[in-house]
Amino acid sequence: MKCGQFDQRNQEYYQNFSAEKYFQKLLGSHDNQTSDWREKVIFDVGAHQGESAEFFHHTFPGATIYSFEPNPKAASKIIEKKIPGNQVFELALTDFNGNAVFNLQDISHLSSLAPINRESRDSLGYAEREEHECIQVEAVRGDEFVNRHKIHSIDLLKIDVQANEVKTIQGFSGVISKVKVVFIEVCFYDFYTQKSSIREVESALPGFEIYDIYEVSKNPKSLGVDWATLVYKNTAFQD
């Protein structure tokens, strides 16, 4: 038994945890009483089938939510139906402008600009059994999109792009000072590239400090870690 395995404080925390209150505190004003959610701007990069966008729409009524999902089936047929009026873009946000090859995989949340490594031993054997097709998608840098749409600032930049998180955050390099919070899934060990991405992600976030480890994915084969969702706050951001 490891120290803290049954830590009472952790148990009490999870029993009382509210994702809605967590994010409202994260993006709220100092007293968290006068926040006007209509003024918030949220980027949902790697929107998949709209799960996060639906949550943000419920948690921040009236906020402007930009959803980015290169998978045309998800973007045009699922997300827009879940949240009418939500701004959905069939774009891959990465570190260049142009066309890119998108690996559309049979496991929806694994679709990615990164090709899968069939030699890998990922946590649930995804690499051994997945099937995919390659499609051409439009790729845009994050800072190019922000400047093109004249977006003044981003309150929450959520990035969930399997194995492409480093290039995605690097694509925001020109406007990263305008971002308040980065909520990003990083690879402690990535079965696509067989490396960790955390150092590269942190080097691409100048002026940010880690605020929280929101979630950790355990690997049942090795009892190690596949990925973790980390929260970074911009120490110089001005509301």
Side-chain angles (χ1 to χ4, degrees):
M1 183 182 298
K2 295 183 179 179
C3 178
Q5 185 173 352
F6 298 105
D7 188 276
Q8 183 177 353
R9 290 173 299 175
N10 288 342
Q11 291 183 17
E12 292 177 354
Y13 174 78
Y14 286 115
Q15 287 173 358
N16 295 283
F17 179 76
S18 165
E20 290 84 359
K21 291 181 180 179
Y22 178 92
F23 279 93
Q24 288 174 350
K25 180 179 179 181
L26 191 64
L27 301 191
S29 61
H30 294 298
D31 60 10
N32 206 34
Q33 299 296 321
T34 60
S35 298
D36 186 350
W37 305 129
R38 290 174 297 179
E39 299 177 353
K40 301 301 179 184
V41 173
I42 298 172
F43 271 38
D44 182 13
V45 184
H48 305 313
Q49 297 186 0
E51 301 91 339
S52 294
E54 197 170 23
F55 168 79
F56 292 137
H57 180 75
H58 170 77
T59 306
F60 301 104
T64 302
I65 302 171
Y66 296 88
S67 295
F68 302 90
E69 176 52 57
N71 182 347
K73 297 177 182 178
S76 61
K77 296 184 179 179
I78 298 178
I79 302 176
E80 291 177 348
K81 288 183 179 179
K82 281 186 175 181
I83 312 172
N86 187 43
Q87 302 198 51
V88 183
F89 298 86
E90 291 182 20
L91 296 173
L93 294 194
T94 186
D95 60 345
F96 67 92
N97 299 318
N99 293 321
V101 175
F102 186 70
N103 295 278
L104 187 58
Q105 297 171 6
D106 58 339
I107 304 173
S108 64
H109 70 278
L110 293 185
S111 295
S112 173
L113 293 180
I116 200 163
N117 176 8
R118 288 190 179 274
E119 302 296 320
S120 67
R121 294 291 302 275
D122 62 275
S123 59
L124 296 175
Y126 287 142
E128 298 170 357
R129 68 175 188 266
E130 72 86 34
E131 295 181 1
H132 75 277
E133 61 175 309
C134 296
I135 62 174
Q136 289 285 329
V137 298
E138 182 180 355
V140 178
R141 288 180 58 91
D143 48 20
E144 167 70 18
F145 183 92
V146 169
N147 293 329
R148 183 189 304 171
H149 291 264
K150 296 181 172 58
I151 297 170
H152 176 68
S153 62
I154 301 173
D155 293 277
L156 178 65
L157 173 56
K158 169 257 175 184
I159 298 176
D160 180 6
V161 287
Q162 189 73 40
N164 201 58
E165 62 273 11
V166 173
K167 291 183 178 181
T168 300
I169 201 68
Q170 288 172 342
F172 282 89
S173 61
V175 295
I176 198 65
S177 62
K178 299 181 180 180
V179 179
K180 179 178 182 178
V181 176
V182 175
F183 185 84
I184 185 167
E185 183 177 301
V186 302
C187 304
F188 281 174
Y189 179 79
D190 170 47
F191 59 86
Y192 285 79
T193 59
Q194 297 186 343
K195 65 178 184 179
S196 171
S197 67
I198 186 170
R199 289 185 178 180
E200 292 176 274
V201 165
E202 292 200 340
S203 68
L205 292 173
F208 283 74
E209 292 183 354
I210 190 166
Y211 171 79
D212 194 15
I213 300 175
Y214 184 81
E215 188 176 13
V216 175
S217 169
K218 292 294 185 182
N219 184 327
K221 284 188 176 179
S222 68
L223 301 182
V225 172
D226 276 336
W227 52 263
T229 302
L230 304 182
V231 183
Y232 291 91
K233 295 185 75 171
N234 186 344
T235 59
F237 187 87
Q238 298 293 325
D239 287 307

